[in-house]
Amino acid sequence: MCFLSLLSNVWLAKKMAKSKNALVVVAMLPPPVNGNTLVTKRIVDEFRTRGAVDVFGMSKTGDSSHSNAARKLLKGVRAVLASLWLVGKRISGKRVLYTTVDHGFGRFYNILVVAAARLLGYQCVIHHHTFGFCRERDRFIVLLDRMLGKSGVHVLLGEEMVESFQRLYDPVAQHVILPNMFMVPPNTCSSGQAVDCRSAVAKPFVIGHLSNLSVAKGLSEVIGTFAELRGRGVDVILRLAGPPVTKRDADIIDDARERYGKAFEYIGPVYGDRKAEFLESIDVKLLPSRSEAQPIVLIEAMASGKPVIAFARGCIPSLVGTDGGVVVDIDEDFVARASAVIQGWIDSPSEYFETCQTVTKYSQSLHKMANSSLQLFIEQMMSPHGMNAEETSNQDVTRHLDHAA
């Protein structure tokens, strides 16, 4: 038996008797503020509603003044410190680790932390927030899965992710499905009032796009859809929110603003109440991104009672379904499909209003079922014995909804 295992078992039986739960967390929390860190924060907050939880935050290391190598070094130091921290927590009786999967070079640090945890005898529960590793086999994920062993658990976002994950990796560890829909309460806005989609018929139809604005996230297709409708003489406005990712993306926005004038609105990054106000102000949310998993911004749009039009990437097909808007096949012409759908809604306001009502009911069902999944997950994680994936439903909530007609 290795030295770390011997050390971790000193007085373990006595400490376990005193411990209310077995859980520790090593994960990235805001800042930076993004979908992944916000989900992690929500889950940690839920843990804390059930009792005290020890958290080691893998917070952002370094700033723009540091070189890339320096930032990697600082993050590596934090990973080593997290591993040493796990030793002390194991001695105190903790035995379940909740952590998240980083991207790029950060996966090396995931391996370091998980390796230390497994040597110490932790059950490891790893939450995946991205879909890239489910499109192409990733040797780092292979290694992580083998390190987790049969007691380990992968937390996945939806049935699409499960199917791809099992096909690519034949995993050793178990899995549970925890969709992100619990993040956003349905059918509410900053004023606390239900959204009235009928107001859209008496004004220019507002196309919205909220994201980190880039060509990769579909900026060109969004502007193209708007331009197609304007070219037909349709009274539409395009409203963009979010920061441009590159100078090229900023130039595309500036060029469109100059060309289309007041019909093209760019309002910059929005958070909190300003984000809610943005979603209230639009009539449809476009997301023609080719690199999504289960984007919170689509959940937020549907929670505001607004339909979405998005490419069929990641878990978006099961998220949007047939009642949350329109899912465009990845090989289909997004501009042609989206402009046709929007034209139909403008020509038939009653159809658009019925669509909004359906989206609202669908969002309410999604939130209710996802929140039930979240509470079951939290209960399992906070138990003295840790996660038992066989007792936690592995069914994607979106496959069991009574869709609104």
Side-chain angles (χ1 to χ4, degrees):
M1 186 179 295
C2 71
F3 173 74
L4 286 175
S5 293
L6 287 170
L7 180 62
S8 70
N9 284 307
V10 174
W11 305 311
L12 184 56
K14 293 182 180 179
K15 296 294 184 180
M16 279 296 292
K18 297 179 181 180
S19 179
K20 293 182 179 180
N21 63 72
L23 178 65
V24 295
V25 175
V26 176
M28 179 81 79
L29 296 167
V33 177
N34 56 47
N36 297 348
T37 59
L38 288 175
V39 170
T40 303
K41 182 180 183 301
R42 169 67 190 279
I43 288 175
V44 170
D45 288 345
E46 290 286 341
F47 288 149
R48 286 172 169 161
T49 65
R50 305 291 184 97
V53 175
D54 296 314
V55 178
F56 189 99
M58 296 291 288
S59 56
K60 186 175 181 180
T61 51
D63 54 38
S64 58
S65 66
H66 292 92
S67 67
N68 189 43
R71 288 195 294 271
K72 288 179 180 178
L73 177 60
L74 289 170
K75 196 167 185 178
V77 170
R78 288 199 64 80
V80 171
L81 292 175
S83 301
L84 295 174
W85 179 80
L86 288 172
V87 175
K89 295 304 173 183
R90 186 72 173 106
I91 293 172
S92 73
K94 305 298 183 179
R95 56 177 297 274
V96 180
L97 169 66
Y98 171 82
T99 189
T100 55
V101 179
D102 210 332
H103 62 277
F105 197 82
R107 294 173 301 179
F108 285 106
Y109 309 125
N110 292 139
I111 289 172
L112 175 60
V113 171
V114 170
R118 292 297 292 142
L119 287 172
L120 291 163
Y122 282 89
Q123 179 192 33
C124 294
V125 179
I126 297 185
H127 202 150
H128 299 268
H129 293 296
T130 62
F131 203 91
F133 72 95
C134 285
R135 296 190 182 101
E136 185 176 350
R137 186 176 170 89
D138 186 324
R139 64 182 184 276
F140 294 102
I141 300 299
V142 174
L143 179 56
L144 274 175
D145 175 68
R146 301 311 185 257
M147 290 168 60
L148 290 182
K150 292 183 178 180
S151 70
V153 180
H154 296 280
V155 182
L156 305 175
L157 295 174
E159 197 63 35
E160 295 96 337
M161 184 177 279
V162 171
E163 292 173 359
S164 296
F165 185 66
Q166 292 179 327
R167 172 174 49 82
L168 289 172
Y169 297 98
D170 188 21
V172 172
Q174 307 167 78
H175 77 270
V176 297
I177 292 176
L178 184 62
N180 286 337
M181 284 81 86
F182 61 81
M183 285 294 294
V184 184
N187 198 32
T188 58
C189 57
S190 62
S191 61
Q193 302 296 318
V195 176
D196 183 359
C197 295
R198 287 172 294 186
S199 62
V201 303
K203 63 181 182 181
F205 195 94
V206 182
I207 300 169
H209 180 55
L210 168 61
S211 180
N212 290 324
L213 301 173
S214 69
V215 172
K217 290 281 189 178
L219 179 61
S220 297
E221 286 86 352
V222 169
I223 295 175
T225 301
F226 164 70
E228 172 67 21
L229 289 165
R230 293 285 296 182
R232 299 178 191 173
V234 180
D235 189 11
V236 292
I237 291 174
L238 176 57
R239 190 165 290 152
L240 298 183
V245 175
T246 67
K247 184 180 183 304
R248 177 193 175 196
D249 301 318
D251 290 342
I252 291 173
I253 294 170
D254 289 340
D255 290 345
R257 184 159 44 181
E258 181 177 348
R259 179 175 181 180
Y260 294 106
K262 292 182 179 180
F264 184 97
E265 301 178 6
Y266 172 57
I267 61 177
V270 293
Y271 303 102
D273 287 345
R274 289 195 66 208
K275 180 191 284 190
E277 290 168 3
F278 173 85
L279 292 170
E280 290 172 45
S281 75
I282 66 174
D283 297 314
V284 63
K285 166 74 178 81
L286 303 189
L287 189 65
S289 171
R290 299 176 181 272
S291 60
E292 298 298 327
Q294 195 177 68
I296 291 176
V297 68
L298 290 188
I299 301 169
E300 291 171 327
M302 291 189 297
S304 296
K306 305 301 172 65
V308 302
I309 304 177
F311 264 139
R313 295 297 277 175
C315 296
I316 287 176
S318 64
L319 170 63
V320 176
T322 58
D323 292 341
V326 176
V327 177
V328 181
D329 188 82
I330 197 65
D331 295 322
E332 193 174 350
D333 185 331
F334 184 92
V335 170
R337 180 71 184 284
S339 58
V341 170
I342 294 170
Q343 179 79 67
W345 285 334
I346 293 171
D347 291 342
S348 177
S350 61
E351 179 184 342
Y352 174 72
F353 178 53
E354 290 175 3
T355 297
C356 290
Q357 289 183 310
T358 300
V359 170
T360 298
K361 293 176 183 178
Y362 178 66
S363 176
Q364 291 169 344
S365 297
L366 282 179
H367 178 77
K368 182 178 179 179
M369 298 188 73
N371 195 59
S372 296
S373 296
L374 173 65
Q375 297 308 317
L376 178 58
F377 175 77
I378 299 299
E379 180 180 342
Q380 286 261 316
M381 291 293 293
M382 291 296 289
S383 75
H385 307 293
M387 168 66 69
N388 183 344
E390 293 182 357
E391 294 181 9
T392 302
S393 173
N394 281 335
Q395 299 301 314
D396 186 346
V397 300
T398 57
R399 299 185 67 184
H400 299 279
L401 288 173
D402 294 323
H403 296 317

